Amino acid sequence: MVQGTSLEHDIYLFHEGNLRYSHKLLGAHPDTRNGEQGIRFAVWAPNAVKVSVVGPFNNWDGREHPMEKINDNGVWIAFLPGLEKGTIYKYEILTPHGHLRLKADPYAFSSELRPNTASVVYPLDDYAWGDHDWMNQRKGRNPYESPMSIYELHLGSWKYIEPEVFYNFREYADMVIPYVKELGYTHIELLPMTEHPFDRSWGYQATGYFSVTSRYGTPDDFKYFVDQCHKSGIGVILDWVPGHFCKDEHGLRRFDGEALYEYANPSKAEKTQWGTLTFDFARNEVQSFLISNAVYWLKEYHLDGLRVDAVASMLYLDFGKEDGEWELNEYGGRENIEAIDFIRKMNKAVFEEVPDTLMMAEESTSWPLVSAPTHIGGLGFNYKWNMGWMNDMLKYMEMDPIHRKYHHNLITFSLHYAFSENFVLPISHDEVVHGKKSLLNKMPGDYWQKFANLRAFLAYMYAHPGKKLLFMGGEFGQFDEWKDLEDLDWELLDYDSHASILEYTKQLHQMYQDMPALWELDHKPEGFTWIDPNNYEQSIISFVRNSRTSNDQLVIVCNFTPEVYHDYKVGVPEQGSYEEIFSSDAEHFGGSGQRNGLPLDTISSPWQGQNQHVTMTVPPLGVSFLKRTSVNQGGES
């Protein structure tokens, strides 16, 4: 019989839904009993009649190492002497219906390489971290008032050795980090690194929630990748999927013969559009499992944040379902009450355990207060993806410029709600796959216009309030949409247009990081002021980005047509001399070179609600950034 006050207390918290480190209770851990070293196995399977640990060490014979059920709520434990790191194992479970099932460990830290599905014993305390400076600096960093530009990355299709054969995390560190650092990104966001059976699920349909996918190496290899990112000044965000899991037989589905991790009610359990199952958010042990999993990734792997996938699918009972496929909640609504409560509980726990982390919600509806604290009724995230901005802007940019004036509201509407949440502006993998075309190929016009449109779009994105995210390939104008079974078309960089876009991305980032007006007040209304949002006839908008210091103000003028406008009047907030510090139309970026090379002196004549104005050249399909560099008395109009 296993005894111990700490163990009993942890088991109590686990069943109460309040054990934030359940991965230290359950799973496979090195232990010593009666002077013998071995592995302690623990698993939650309340409906099982019998549970055994099986593997090559006992010829997969469940009669050899049965586990002991130590409480009525279904925690089973066994200590196997002589086993060590690298041991392959599963749990053999006899269900109430008399069936034997072989299941991977829900709390395994490592797994066999697909198509094999067993768990692998892997202690997590062997890696010596070297990112102490980064972790200490992170504690004092205010992300809301700092630049944040995220490079979204699917490792297996960034570069590979050959199809379905990938580099190791350590090799990726040597390739990815210098590239991302050179381009000026502040963070990497990785598509899910949890173990998953099918490559083309991209990690979004997982079987091993605590297991780093073996496609790219071991847990220590992944720690090395994160460690090297931090040493290079790059944060790491992980895509995390608490909303649903896949149905593969060795995974969580009907784990002990009954619905355990998933809802027992099929109308709540089934994610029909994805062929997956929804976690039972009302079940205490599932809450402990998921909250521990979030804490685990952030603490064990020093990750800087989690991007929480498909939050809307958790919040709404009718998400992706037809009439008759779902049931109203107890109040007659379509909200999933227990999922809402779970999300708040999860975020509260995460920020108590890791106060300096990022929790980003991919939430595609108008649910209020997603990034507000739980104590005022919010969901408790600190960032939300701005899916409305993304949809509007991509729709607008795909139009022929001649039609854009009829849809001018698409580029201005986002400012009505830009400060209602702490937003990230995302151009993610979902927007460049499944026939949606690459970002470059969405752009209308001839070859030159496609690149000009892309430069203008990226410049407007970086001028717009909110942090930034761009999926890999967009930084050099990949022509084909994302091919998840191939790597990026790196050979395009042999062509001037694509090499120029890469250089453009680099210099855009440099300008972005150097200008506090573009990020210091990202989430406050005083960080943005319209100059002219209404010039739909010419598809031109102009606005001011403000920082805490008026000297850092930027005036941004965007032209979404291929027409050049000379002597164009723009109202400006301060008297003085303005210089064009960045232009998307610069010749070395592949533009037409319609620049404002000389300082623009203000004219003391009101225009567009401002007390003075400048006259400038507005480039075709171009964005100009103007900064006041000196004070003068102003001329007369």
Side-chain angles (χ1 to χ4, degrees), residues 452-461 504 559-560 584 621-623:
N453 271 299
L454 177 57
R455 291 192 302 270
F457 169 73
L458 292 174
Y460 179 54
M461 176 180 178
Y504 175 76
N559 175 16
F560 292 103
S584 69
L621 295 172
V623 177

Side-chain angles (χ1 to χ4, degrees), residues 20-24 109 124-125 127-132 134-135 138-139 209-210 212 219-220 222-224 226-227 230 236-238 240 290-306 346 349-359:
R20 298 173 179 179
Y21 294 85
S22 59
H23 52 284
K24 296 186 177 182
F109 300 143
L124 292 175
D125 54 1
Y127 186 81
W129 287 93
D131 63 346
H132 313 294
W134 171 272
M135 297 300 285
R138 200 178 81 178
K139 294 175 183 176
Y209 269 74
F210 288 84
V212 175
D220 281 355
F222 184 45
K223 288 182 178 181
Y224 176 87
V226 176
D227 204 8
H230 287 172
V236 183
I237 300 164
L238 183 66
W240 185 59
L290 289 173
I291 291 171
S292 296
N293 191 241
V295 172
Y296 163 82
W297 286 108
L298 294 167
K299 298 274 275 191
E300 288 290 345
Y301 291 94
H302 289 202
L303 294 174
D304 301 282
L306 299 175
M346 172 194 71
V350 165
F351 283 111
E352 286 177 356
E353 298 295 332
V354 195
D356 52 347
T357 196
L358 303 170
M359 292 293 285

Side-chain angles (χ1 to χ4, degrees), residues 587-599:
E587 286 182 293
H588 60 278
F589 298 145
S592 65
Q594 297 292 329
R595 300 292 307 275
N596 294 277
L598 298 176

Side-chain angles (χ1 to χ4, degrees), residues 170-283:
R170 295 173 187 262
E171 295 171 304
Y172 278 120
D174 293 340
M175 293 184 287
V176 171
I177 295 171
Y179 179 79
V180 172
K181 182 74 173 176
E182 176 71 14
L183 288 178
Y185 287 96
T186 64
H187 292 73
I188 290 169
E189 181 178 308
L190 296 166
L191 270 60
M193 287 292 112
T194 44
E195 193 57 81
H196 52 285
F198 184 45
D199 286 2
R200 303 203 73 182
S201 79
W202 314 328
Y204 289 96
Q205 296 190 14
T207 49
Y209 269 74
F210 288 84
S211 181
V212 175
T213 178
S214 50
R215 287 165 177 80
Y216 314 121
T218 68
D220 281 355
D221 293 333
F222 184 45
K223 288 182 178 181
Y224 176 87
F225 179 90
V226 176
D227 204 8
Q228 296 306 308
C229 284
H230 287 172
K231 289 178 180 179
S232 297
I234 297 169
V236 183
I237 300 164
L238 183 66
D239 225 334
W240 185 59
V241 191
H244 62 119
F245 58 89
C246 68
K247 295 181 177 181
D248 289 58
E249 184 60 31
H250 68 282
L252 299 178
R253 177 178 176 268
R254 299 188 69 84
F255 184 77
D256 58 3
E258 302 291 344
L260 190 64
Y261 287 88
E262 70 270 36
Y263 284 111
N265 180 349
S267 71
K268 294 180 76 172
E270 293 287 343
K271 286 274 197 300
T272 51
Q273 69 179 115
W274 295 327
T276 56
L277 293 170
T278 306
F279 281 104
D280 183 349
F281 301 113
R283 191 155 198 164

Side-chain angles (χ1 to χ4, degrees), residues 588-608:
H588 60 278
F589 298 145
S592 65
Q594 297 292 329
R595 300 292 307 275
N596 294 277
L598 298 176
L600 305 172
D601 292 332
T602 56
I603 298 171
S604 298
S605 175
W607 188 253
Q608 295 172 332

Side-chain angles (χ1 to χ4, degrees), residues 100-135:
L100 282 178
R101 297 284 184 262
L102 283 177
K103 290 288 189 177
D105 187 349
Y107 285 87
F109 300 143
S110 185
S111 304
E112 286 188 295
L113 179 63
R114 51 93 177 96
N116 296 325
T117 58
S119 301
V120 179
V121 173
Y122 202 100
L124 292 175
D125 54 1
D126 292 340
Y127 186 81
W129 287 93
D131 63 346
H132 313 294
D133 289 345
W134 171 272
M135 297 300 285

